[in-house]
PDB file of all heavy atoms in Angstrom:
ATOM      1  N   THR A  11     -10.465 -24.330   4.749  1.00  0.00           N
ATOM      2  CA  THR A  11     -11.818 -24.709   5.188  1.00  0.00           C
ATOM      3  C   THR A  11     -12.842 -24.245   4.154  1.00  0.00           C
ATOM      4  O   THR A  11     -13.694 -25.019   3.718  1.00  0.00           O
ATOM      5  CB  THR A  11     -12.146 -24.074   6.563  1.00  0.00           C
ATOM      6  OG1 THR A  11     -11.142 -24.460   7.497  1.00  0.00           O
ATOM      7  CG2 THR A  11     -13.498 -24.523   7.076  1.00  0.00           C
ATOM      8  N   GLU A  30     -13.302 -13.596  -0.353  1.00  0.00           N
ATOM      9  CA  GLU A  30     -11.988 -13.617   0.304  1.00  0.00           C
ATOM     10  C   GLU A  30     -11.393 -12.214   0.272  1.00  0.00           C
ATOM     11  O   GLU A  30     -11.307 -11.603  -0.790  1.00  0.00           O
ATOM     12  CB  GLU A  30     -11.075 -14.621  -0.406  1.00  0.00           C
ATOM     13  CG  GLU A  30      -9.602 -14.538  -0.018  1.00  0.00           C
ATOM     14  CD  GLU A  30      -9.345 -14.682   1.479  1.00  0.00           C
ATOM     15  OE1 GLU A  30      -9.788 -15.677   2.083  1.00  0.00           O
ATOM     16  OE2 GLU A  30      -8.702 -13.777   2.058  1.00  0.00           O
ATOM     17  N   HIS A  56       5.067 -24.570   5.869  1.00  0.00           N
ATOM     18  CA  HIS A  56       3.987 -25.562   5.812  1.00  0.00           C
ATOM     19  C   HIS A  56       4.481 -26.884   5.233  1.00  0.00           C
ATOM     20  O   HIS A  56       5.270 -26.891   4.297  1.00  0.00           O
ATOM     21  CB  HIS A  56       2.840 -25.061   4.926  1.00  0.00           C
ATOM     22  CG  HIS A  56       1.811 -24.272   5.664  1.00  0.00           C
ATOM     23  ND1 HIS A  56       2.040 -23.001   6.119  1.00  0.00           N
ATOM     24  CD2 HIS A  56       0.535 -24.583   6.034  1.00  0.00           C
ATOM     25  CE1 HIS A  56       0.956 -22.559   6.740  1.00  0.00           C
ATOM     26  NE2 HIS A  56       0.016 -23.500   6.707  1.00  0.00           N
ATOM     27  N   THR A 410      -3.916 -27.607   7.727  1.00  0.00           N
ATOM     28  CA  THR A 410      -4.755 -27.579   6.514  1.00  0.00           C
ATOM     29  C   THR A 410      -5.531 -28.886   6.359  1.00  0.00           C
ATOM     30  O   THR A 410      -6.638 -28.893   5.810  1.00  0.00           O
ATOM     31  CB  THR A 410      -3.891 -27.339   5.256  1.00  0.00           C
ATOM     32  OG1 THR A 410      -2.806 -28.254   5.281  1.00  0.00           O
ATOM     33  CG2 THR A 410      -3.335 -25.931   5.233  1.00  0.00           C
TER      34      THR A 410
HETATM   35  C1  LIG B 501       3.080 -20.424  11.370  1.00  0.00           C
HETATM   36  C2  LIG B 501       2.102 -21.424  10.884  1.00  0.00           C
HETATM   37  C3  LIG B 501       2.546 -22.680  10.480  1.00  0.00           C
HETATM   38  C4  LIG B 501       1.643 -23.646  10.051  1.00  0.00           C
HETATM   39  N1  LIG B 501       2.125 -24.851   9.640  1.00  0.00           N
HETATM   40  C5  LIG B 501       1.271 -25.736   9.078  1.00  0.00           C
HETATM   41  C6  LIG B 501       1.759 -26.910   8.468  1.00  0.00           C
HETATM   42  O1  LIG B 501       2.966 -27.181   8.458  1.00  0.00           O
HETATM   43  N2  LIG B 501       0.871 -27.763   7.909  1.00  0.00           N
HETATM   44  C7  LIG B 501      -0.464 -27.504   7.881  1.00  0.00           C
HETATM   45  O2  LIG B 501      -1.236 -28.276   7.303  1.00  0.00           O
HETATM   46  N3  LIG B 501      -0.970 -26.394   8.483  1.00  0.00           N
HETATM   47  C8  LIG B 501      -0.141 -25.512   9.072  1.00  0.00           C
HETATM   48  N4  LIG B 501      -0.623 -24.358   9.631  1.00  0.00           N
HETATM   49  C9  LIG B 501      -2.058 -24.224   9.867  1.00  0.00           C
HETATM   50  C10 LIG B 501      -2.881 -23.946   8.653  1.00  0.00           C
HETATM   51  O3  LIG B 501      -2.335 -22.923   7.865  1.00  0.00           O
HETATM   52  C11 LIG B 501      -4.286 -23.538   9.112  1.00  0.00           C
HETATM   53  O4  LIG B 501      -4.757 -24.433  10.078  1.00  0.00           O
HETATM   54  C12 LIG B 501      -5.277 -23.552   8.011  1.00  0.00           C
HETATM   55  O5  LIG B 501      -4.762 -22.905   6.882  1.00  0.00           O
HETATM   56  C13 LIG B 501      -6.570 -22.878   8.475  1.00  0.00           C
HETATM   57  O6  LIG B 501      -7.446 -22.745   7.384  1.00  0.00           O
HETATM   58  P1  LIG B 501      -8.834 -22.009   7.565  1.00  0.00           P
HETATM   59  O7  LIG B 501      -9.444 -21.954   6.224  1.00  0.00           O
HETATM   60  O8  LIG B 501      -9.609 -22.655   8.650  1.00  0.00           O
HETATM   61  O9  LIG B 501      -8.503 -20.569   8.113  1.00  0.00           O
HETATM   62  P2  LIG B 501      -7.679 -19.388   7.403  1.00  0.00           P
HETATM   63  O10 LIG B 501      -6.559 -19.954   6.647  1.00  0.00           O
HETATM   64  O11 LIG B 501      -7.402 -18.396   8.476  1.00  0.00           O
HETATM   65  O12 LIG B 501      -8.740 -18.766   6.357  1.00  0.00           O
HETATM   66  C14 LIG B 501      -9.648 -17.775   6.694  1.00  0.00           C
HETATM   67  C15 LIG B 501      -9.740 -16.846   5.496  1.00  0.00           C
HETATM   68  O13 LIG B 501     -10.715 -15.847   5.753  1.00  0.00           O
HETATM   69  C16 LIG B 501     -10.295 -14.625   5.184  1.00  0.00           C
HETATM   70  N5  LIG B 501     -11.032 -13.536   5.820  1.00  0.00           N
HETATM   71  C17 LIG B 501     -10.898 -13.084   7.102  1.00  0.00           C
HETATM   72  N6  LIG B 501     -11.794 -12.095   7.337  1.00  0.00           N
HETATM   73  C18 LIG B 501     -12.510 -11.938   6.180  1.00  0.00           C
HETATM   74  C19 LIG B 501     -13.583 -11.093   5.813  1.00  0.00           C
HETATM   75  N7  LIG B 501     -14.125 -10.218   6.659  1.00  0.00           N
HETATM   76  N8  LIG B 501     -14.053 -11.189   4.547  1.00  0.00           N
HETATM   77  C20 LIG B 501     -13.532 -12.073   3.643  1.00  0.00           C
HETATM   78  N9  LIG B 501     -12.508 -12.908   3.971  1.00  0.00           N
HETATM   79  C21 LIG B 501     -12.023 -12.846   5.214  1.00  0.00           C
HETATM   80  C22 LIG B 501      -8.801 -14.631   5.464  1.00  0.00           C
HETATM   81  O14 LIG B 501      -8.109 -13.730   4.618  1.00  0.00           O
HETATM   82  C23 LIG B 501      -8.447 -16.101   5.210  1.00  0.00           C
HETATM   83  O15 LIG B 501      -8.066 -16.307   3.867  1.00  0.00           O
HETATM   84  C24 LIG B 501       0.257 -23.367  10.047  1.00  0.00           C
HETATM   85  C25 LIG B 501      -0.196 -22.104  10.430  1.00  0.00           C
HETATM   86  C26 LIG B 501       0.710 -21.139  10.831  1.00  0.00           C
HETATM   87  C27 LIG B 501       0.215 -19.787  11.194  1.00  0.00           C
END
Side-chain angles (χ1 to χ4, degrees):
T11 304
E30 168 56 54
H56 271 73
T410 50

